[in-house]
Structures are given as structure tokens and as C-alpha cells.
Amino acid sequence: MQGIEVLFMGNNMLRLWGGLWVTLRLSLISIGLSLFIGLFVGAFMLVKNPIVKAICRVYIEIVRIMPQLVWLFIIFFGITKLTGIDLDGETAAVIMLTIWGASEVGDLVRAAFSSIPSHQFESGLSLGLSRVQLYVYIIFPQAVRGLVPDVINLSTRMIKTTALVSLIGVTEVLKVGKQIIDANRFEYPNAALWVYAAIFLMYFIICFPLSLLSRKLTKKRGE
Amino acid sequence: MDWSFIQKFAPMYVEAGLLTVTIGVFGIVLSVAIGLVCALVKYYRIPVARQIVAAYIELSRNTPLIVQLFFLYFGLPKAGILLSSEACGVIGLAFLGGSYMAESFLGGLKSVNKIQLESAESLGLRRWQVMRYIVIPQAARVSIPALAANVIFLLKETSVFSAVSLADLMYVAKDLIGMYYKTNEALTMLVAAYLVLILPISIVFTVLERRLRRAGN
Amino acid sequence: MTMEEHIIDIEHLTKKFGDNVIISDLSLSVSQGEVVVLIGPSGCGKSTLLRCINGLEPVQGGSVKLHGEPVEHGKSSLYNIRQKIGMVFQSYDLFPHMTVMKNVTLAPLKVQGRNKDEVTGQAMELLGRVGLADKADAYPSELSGGQKQRVAIVRSLIMNPDIMLLDEITAALDPEMVHEVLNVVLDLAKGGTTMMIVTHEMAFAEAVADRVIFLDGGVIVEEDAPEVFFHSPKTERAQRFLKTFTYSK
């Protein structure tokens, strides 16, 4: 167990959580933006116009086919090169995560609405509800109920994906971990084992409750 | 676009791509094996093993691959377990993929109606016969699309291998950008390489899935 | 009646789900060639009783014996005993990935290890008897509900069982298909097949049964010849139950 002390020395633990907060903050911002844009993408996919639909489909498929890290590189290195704007890593990360997240949300929104059986529309209308009332009282509540667990699930994927930003130089938890390891290289040569184990568990502590919640809501939806 | 540059360095991408594929294949095959064992443990509710599997699945699904790799590559040597970059890639991918595969297999197994099992049992079929003739053929139809999606997901996840000094596609691209500032060329080749890698598999799986869906009706 | 004639002997059977007693100290025997119909309100334990006879459920007390051999859930001896007990369920029990012929021949080939030509011949003969000879190569999804249940009956019959257990086999069928399935069962009864039948079709029950057992709350409330049970039931509970099947303004 030698070396585990390094985690509790000084404010090391706090620094690690601070590093994780960088990741979480980027995730939160990106989820927020993804939801906003993704709702539009989803709405566009539900319209009858085949061209609009096709554009959205192509967008989703293009995003999906490439690893997120490739997209991150394209945005971080490519945009800087093409436009001359010097993007910092955090901005590049948010752009990548939002482009990816919005495509996923778009697909979820589409699926949530198209999974509502047509008799729900018919029985709503046959009760004499107006179009607006139909959507407000019958369709939206069901779609949202279907959407919430999937969006929570997407959030955990977003948090896990955000871990990639260490590869474009953002100082997040992995970088902080490395700093701690380097600073204690001689006193605690085994620090790496404990620091990376700690980071592993920290991600788990954040993601696991979200997964549980998502699963619980999915089960509820199934009833 | 500097075509002579592309010509000169394209072989590096081919080599890196082959490395990615090799490690990807080993990792995916291992994760299928792990997934199958875990799914069966959960399906038959084998005591103790079942709890271990559940804990593994949660740990694997709720942590990023890059963190898993850092622990394997930088952490474990301090405990006396020295792994090469390649071994880390394979083990990391299998650790991550095993849980995804397990859930896909289990989803298939659970999709087989209980009455199917009971009527097979009441015909006198033994447990393994019920598995072989009744459960697996039906479960496969449900599992295969999910398994295929996992394969593509895992292939994409291999892109983080460069973090543990594996000379994969990302590693080469980053190198070229760093050394020659040929960002456009390096990124174009990177995208092309991943397209060559993933697109054919993705198309094959889509066709396969459609065919399965038709056969299921 | 001597012991030798009994196919099934149930003695003091008790089945609980948690604290919920489904079958309580129930004893019952079925003789060779006899058709016993179990009726009763839903939740009375009649389906559970059939499942216990086939060893699909662990029991909390008493025993079920087939030809004197105990039927015990989870025991390896169960595999051999089950081959002698045919069971048909409410629905969904044909194997959807196999043709009718494969469905029917799977168990005789893999469980009994019989000769393929012989089994195929018997399968064709039985399918012909239930009017489905032309469906041998069809998949279950191509069949109507009534046809599926007739195949399910054949699938059990081909094992040459000592007794057939039919668990509400027409409950999930459209009304116009009920008849074709029940006719097959009536034919079997005439041919001397020993059966235990759970059903809600009262007219059919009366026609097919040698003996009617009325279950309620996990115990046998009344046991009669069909003409007695349906026309002058002795217990008040049976009278009340039968009234739910008639309508008057």
C-alpha cells in the first residue's frame, strides 16, 4: 500500500477533484448546448420534407462514423490552421462535444416522437383536443418521459468522452494527476498506481449514479 | 494540399492502421469471450460470480477507456505488473468491450420468452439442449445487431491508444502535425484511414441487420 | 381401482409463492385413459397444479408421482419423467425459428434419439390427423393461432406420452379458431389418451371430461361426473362460479 499517502498529502485530493470539475464543466456546457441544438435537429428530422430529413441524416451519420478523438483533432488543429483563429483546447472540446451531442440528441428526439403510436394522436383528436392541446397534453409528456433516461445516459457518455480533452492539452484530472505524480517522483515512486486508481474511481463515482438513475427511469418507462 | 507529402507519408498510415486493426481484432475477440461468459453467469444467476460480473460491468461501463489505459500503462508497473503498449491496448479494449458485449448477449438471451424454455423443458430437453436448439438461435437474432454496433464502437475507441504510446493512426497524425505543420494533409489522411477502416464494416453490418430483421418477421 | 391403473398420483401437494398459498394439501389421482378437466376461477391454482405435475415449479409439500416415480423440480431424474408427460401451453410456445416439422421432430430426435425416418413418418401421420399435413415446411409465423396450437399438440403427442397436460390452450385464440383445436382434443379423448385439461370452455369441458374437478383457493371444492357438475352442482361455490357463464336480463 506504500505510496497511497500521496493522495492525502497537502491538497492533492482537492486538486484532483478540481481537475475532474474541469471535465464536468465542459460536459455540462456541451450537454446544455447539445440539448438545445439537438431538439431542432430532431424536429427537422420529423418534418415531411425529404431534403431536410436527408441533410439531418447525413449529419448524424458523418458524425457517427468517425471517432470523437478524430473530430477533436480536426477541430483543434484543423480549424486553427484553416481560419487562423487560435482555438484553445476547452473551446475546441465544447465545439466537438456539441456537434457530437447534438447529433445524438437529434436522433433520440426523433426516436422518442416516432415511437409514440399513431392511435395516441387519433384518440387525442377524437376527444376533440386542438392540435396544440394534443401536443401539450398527450404527445410532449410521453416523448419527454421517453427521452429523459436516454439523455441521462448520453450525459454519462459525454462525461466519459470529455476525458479525451487531456490529449489536446486541457489541464483536467489526468493532467493534474500527472503533475502530482511528477512532483512526487522521488519521494513516492509508486504514486502513479494510486493516482490513476483514484481517477478511475472518481469517474466511477460520478458516472455510476447517473447510470443507475437512467436505468431506473427506463424501467419505469417500460411499465 | 501537398500531394507529394501525402504520397511520402501514406505508408506510415497504412502501418499504423494495421496496428490498430490487429489490436482491435484481438481486443474485440477477447471482449466477445468475456461478454459471453459474463452473460451466461448473469443468465443462469450463478451465485458469487454473478455479483463479481455485475461489479465488473459497472466499473467498465462507468469509466472512460483512456483512464482505464492510464491505469494499466502508468499505474500497474508500480505494482510490478509491466505491460507493453500493445498489451495495454488489447487488455483495455477487452475490459471495456467485455461489458458491452455482455449486455448485448444478455439482452438476446432474455428476449427469449419463458414459455419457450418451459415447453422445451417439458419435452424433456436437457439444459444444454434447450440452450443450443432453442435459446441461442433466437437470442442471436436479437443480439447480433447490438454486437455489431459494439464492434464499431470499439474500433472507434481504439483511437485513444496513442495515449499509451501506441504508434496508431492518431499518433502518426499528431506526429506529422507536430513535426511538419502539414495539418491539412495529416488530418485528411487520418480521416481517410478511419473511413477505410470503419465504413465497410458499418455497411456490412447495416445490410446484415436489415436481413435479420426481415427474417425475424 | 387399484394402484397399478393410476398414471398420476398427487398426495398432499402444497405450493406457495412466498406467503401466498396457491395449492393447499391437495390429493388427486388420474387413471389410465381418463380425461380430467380442472375448472375454477382465475387464480384458483389450476394452471399451477399442471405446472407442478410437470416439475416446472418447486413445491413446498407433498408429492407428485408418475407411475409411482416422483416428479421433482430440479432433479436430474426429471428429464426422463418429462418425456412421458406432454404439455401444451396457452400460446407462444412453438419455436419460431424452426419449421413445423422441425418443431415436431426436435424432441424425439434429440431427447429420445429415435430414427429420423421413423420420426418423420410419425410426424406426417400426426400432422395429417390434425389436418396440417400441408404445413410441415411452414414456419410458425405463417400459421394461424389455431393451427399453431394443433402443431403444439402434435409436438407433445409424438413423444408418445403417458399423459397430456393442456393448460388453457384456447384462451389466447380468436373465437372462430377455438373449435378446430378442441375437436382435436375430443378426438384424442375418444382414442383413449389420458389427459388433464384446464379450460374455460364449459361446453367443451362437459363434452370431453370423464371427471370434473372444481378448484377454488387451492383446494378441491367439488369433484363430479360432468353431467352432475354442470347441471346440479352440489356446492354453493360451484353454483356461483357456473352462474358467471350465463347471462340473463
Side-chain angles (χ1 to χ4, degrees):
Chain A
M1 293 299 255
Q2 62 181 155
I4 197 169
E5 310 93 275
V6 79
L7 291 176
F8 307 103
M9 256 173 35
N11 56 359
N12 281 352
M13 207 62 201
L14 215 60
R15 283 177 65 202
L16 284 177
W17 280 108
L20 190 59
W21 171 242
V22 173
T23 320
L24 291 179
R25 194 169 44 91
L26 294 176
S27 302
L28 281 175
I29 295 170
S30 309
I31 290 162
L33 289 172
S34 298
L35 276 177
F36 182 73
I37 299 170
L39 284 176
F40 286 97
V41 176
F44 283 136
M45 291 192 74
L46 291 165
V47 300
K48 297 243 155 63
N49 187 328
I51 297 172
V52 177
K53 237 186 214 168
I55 292 174
C56 291
R57 193 78 251 170
V58 167
Y59 159 55
I60 289 173
E61 292 302 329
I62 286 183
V63 171
R64 228 174 239 175
I65 197 80
M66 256 335 126
Q68 288 113 355
L69 188 57
V70 173
W71 284 119
L72 192 58
F73 269 42
I74 292 174
I75 289 160
F76 185 63
F77 296 110
I79 290 193
T80 308
K81 172 93 177 194
L82 283 176
T83 62
I85 304 167
D86 201 9
L87 271 187
D88 65 286
E90 295 200 11
T91 314
V94 169
I95 293 173
M96 184 280 282
L97 292 170
T98 304
I99 289 174
W100 169 64
S103 80
E104 293 287 324
V105 172
D107 209 26
L108 292 178
V109 169
R110 181 200 55 77
F113 275 95
S114 38
S115 73
I116 296 173
S118 62
H119 63 75
Q120 288 289 318
F121 291 83
E122 285 155 12
S123 52
L125 289 174
S126 71
L127 284 171
L129 296 176
S130 70
R131 280 260 153 210
V132 176
Q133 286 172 325
L134 174 70
Y135 274 89
V136 171
Y137 296 118
I138 313 288
I139 306 304
F140 283 140
Q142 293 188 52
V144 168
R145 232 171 48 143
L147 213 48
V148 168
D150 290 337
V151 167
I152 294 173
N153 191 38
L154 179 64
S155 304
T156 65
R157 287 167 63 202
M158 185 75 84
I159 291 168
K160 287 186 287 175
T161 306
T162 312
L164 297 176
V165 300
S166 66
L167 297 177
I168 55 164
V170 175
T171 308
E172 44 64 81
V173 62
L174 283 171
K175 276 277 149 60
V176 173
K178 192 161 186 314
Q179 289 166 2
I180 292 174
I181 292 163
D182 287 343
N184 298 282
R185 173 131 295 162
F186 298 109
E187 283 162 274
Y188 297 103
N190 291 340
L193 179 67
W194 302 107
V195 168
Y196 289 127
I199 295 173
F200 181 84
L201 284 179
M202 284 160 71
Y203 267 103
F204 180 75
I205 289 166
I206 300 296
C207 292
F208 182 52
L210 287 172
S211 296
L212 281 185
L213 181 64
S214 164
R215 216 174 301 155
K216 216 174 141 197
L217 293 173
T218 309
K219 264 203 195 127
K220 225 178 183 179
R221 179 176 60 180
E223 280 164 14
Chain B
M1 200 68 77
D2 183 347
W3 291 105
S4 64
F5 180 86
I6 288 183
Q7 228 168 13
K8 189 170 164 201
F9 288 100
M12 278 179 78
Y13 279 87
V14 173
E15 206 176 308
L18 286 176
L19 182 70
T20 300
V21 168
T22 312
I23 292 178
V25 167
F26 277 111
I28 287 167
V29 168
L30 259 180
S31 60
V32 167
I34 293 172
L36 202 54
V37 171
C38 292
L40 288 175
V41 164
K42 279 192 109 176
Y43 185 71
Y44 286 123
R45 298 168 176 277
I46 298 169
V48 188
R50 188 175 138 211
Q51 278 81 10
I52 295 170
V53 165
Y56 155 64
I57 290 178
E58 295 304 341
L59 279 174
S60 155
R61 292 199 68 135
N62 288 298
T63 50
L65 177 60
I66 188 171
V67 175
Q68 297 167 6
L69 288 174
F70 268 48
F71 179 75
L72 289 174
Y73 190 68
F74 298 112
L76 280 188
K78 308 297 179 193
I81 303 165
L82 208 64
L83 296 170
S84 67
S85 297
E86 289 81 3
C88 277
V90 171
I91 294 170
L93 204 63
F95 179 81
L96 177 76
S99 66
Y100 283 81
M101 296 295 181
E103 307 257 285
S104 303
F105 280 123
L106 193 62
L109 292 175
K110 281 188 171 166
S111 75
V112 180
N113 199 303
K114 206 175 151 221
I115 295 181
Q116 289 278 318
L117 303 180
E118 290 181 343
S119 43
E121 274 177 40
S122 65
L123 285 170
L125 272 88
R126 295 195 171 251
R127 233 177 175 190
W128 67 267
Q129 289 179 317
V130 175
M131 211 3 118
R132 178 170 161 205
Y133 297 114
I134 310 303
V135 179
I136 289 176
Q138 293 186 64
R141 282 193 193 170
V142 177
S143 290
I144 283 174
L147 294 171
N150 289 345
V151 168
I152 294 175
F153 162 72
L154 290 174
L155 270 181
K156 281 157 61 185
E157 286 286 310
T158 61
S159 60
V160 305
F161 286 166
S162 62
V164 291
S165 315
L166 253 174
D168 74 342
L169 292 166
M170 298 304 298
Y171 188 93
V172 171
K174 206 174 174 183
D175 237 23
L176 294 184
I177 293 172
M179 282 194 293
Y180 304 99
Y181 296 103
K182 293 279 190 190
T183 309
N184 293 343
E185 290 79 2
L187 289 179
T188 307
M189 283 193 279
L190 179 68
V191 168
Y194 271 110
L195 279 182
V196 169
L197 221 78
I198 295 168
L199 204 55
I201 299 176
S202 170
I203 289 168
V204 168
F205 283 163
T206 311
V207 172
L208 191 79
E209 195 188 334
R210 267 195 209 137
R211 205 169 283 175
L212 271 177
R213 210 180 298 152
R214 230 179 304 142
N217 291 330
Chain C
M1 213 177 279
T2 59
M3 270 303 285
E4 284 76 49
E5 289 176 290
H6 286 181
I7 292 200
I8 293 282
D9 283 295
I10 300 167
E11 280 156 16
H12 305 292
L13 187 74
T14 297
K15 167 73 195 169
K16 297 178 194 166
F17 285 117
D19 292 335
N20 214 347
V21 181
I22 307 296
I23 295 171
S24 167
D25 195 28
L26 184 146
S27 297
L28 166 70
S29 295
V30 180
S31 305
Q32 173 78 47
E34 197 183 13
V35 177
V36 174
V37 170
L38 300 164
I39 62 177
S42 55
C44 70
K46 53 197 191 305
S47 285
T48 308
L49 179 58
L50 286 195
R51 294 169 61 82
C52 290
I53 295 171
N54 205 9
L56 288 169
E57 300 280 349
V59 297
Q60 281 70 42
S63 67
V64 175
K65 287 187 182 133
L66 177 81
H67 287 309
E69 274 183 87
V71 179
E72 286 169 292
H73 177 83
K75 289 279 169 66
S76 63
S77 60
L78 191 56
Y79 292 109
N80 295 322
I81 293 175
R82 270 183 175 153
Q83 298 173 32
K84 300 178 199 149
I85 306 175
M87 183 153 184
V88 182
F89 298 78
Q90 209 179 86
S91 60
Y92 309 118
D93 70 332
L94 287 190
F95 308 129
H97 58 296
M98 296 178 180
T99 60
V100 166
M101 183 51 89
K102 284 260 168 65
N103 260 282
V104 171
T105 56
L106 176 73
L109 291 177
K110 303 298 177 190
V111 176
Q112 296 178 323
R114 281 156 64 186
N115 173 283
K116 194 173 177 195
D117 293 335
E118 181 253 324
V119 169
T120 312
Q122 195 190 353
M124 281 316 291
E125 188 242 307
L126 288 170
L127 285 172
R129 230 205 279 171
V130 302
L132 292 173
D134 57 328
K135 297 290 184 190
D137 295 322
Y139 280 89
S141 59
E142 301 165 61
L143 303 182
S144 72
Q147 291 170 330
K148 279 186 215 173
Q149 287 301 64
R150 282 186 275 160
V151 174
I153 292 170
V154 167
R155 191 177 60 181
S156 291
L157 275 181
I158 199 167
M159 301 291 283
N160 305 317
D162 295 343
I163 184 168
M164 292 277 284
L165 310 175
L166 309 183
D167 187 6
E168 299 197 38
I169 59 169
T170 58
L173 295 182
D174 289 334
E176 69 269 23
M177 291 170 183
V178 170
H179 220 72
E180 63 187 52
V181 175
L182 295 184
N183 278 339
V184 168
V185 181
L186 276 171
D187 276 348
L188 291 179
K190 275 182 215 149
T193 307
T194 312
M195 288 189 276
M196 286 183 82
I197 302 174
V198 168
T199 185
H200 283 123
E201 303 286 337
M202 293 303 146
F204 164 69
E206 189 174 351
V208 78
D210 295 318
R211 180 155 51 120
V212 176
I213 289 174
F214 177 65
L215 281 174
D216 196 3
V219 295
I220 297 176
V221 176
E222 186 163 342
E223 193 172 344
D224 281 317
E227 48 293 355
V228 177
F229 180 81
F230 287 105
H231 300 290
S232 45
K234 292 184 279 248
T235 59
E236 197 246 332
R237 272 200 275 180
Q239 288 163 10
R240 232 185 312 140
F241 174 73
L242 287 170
K243 253 191 204 139
T244 59
F245 289 90
T246 54
Y247 297 90
S248 51
K249 264 190 183 171

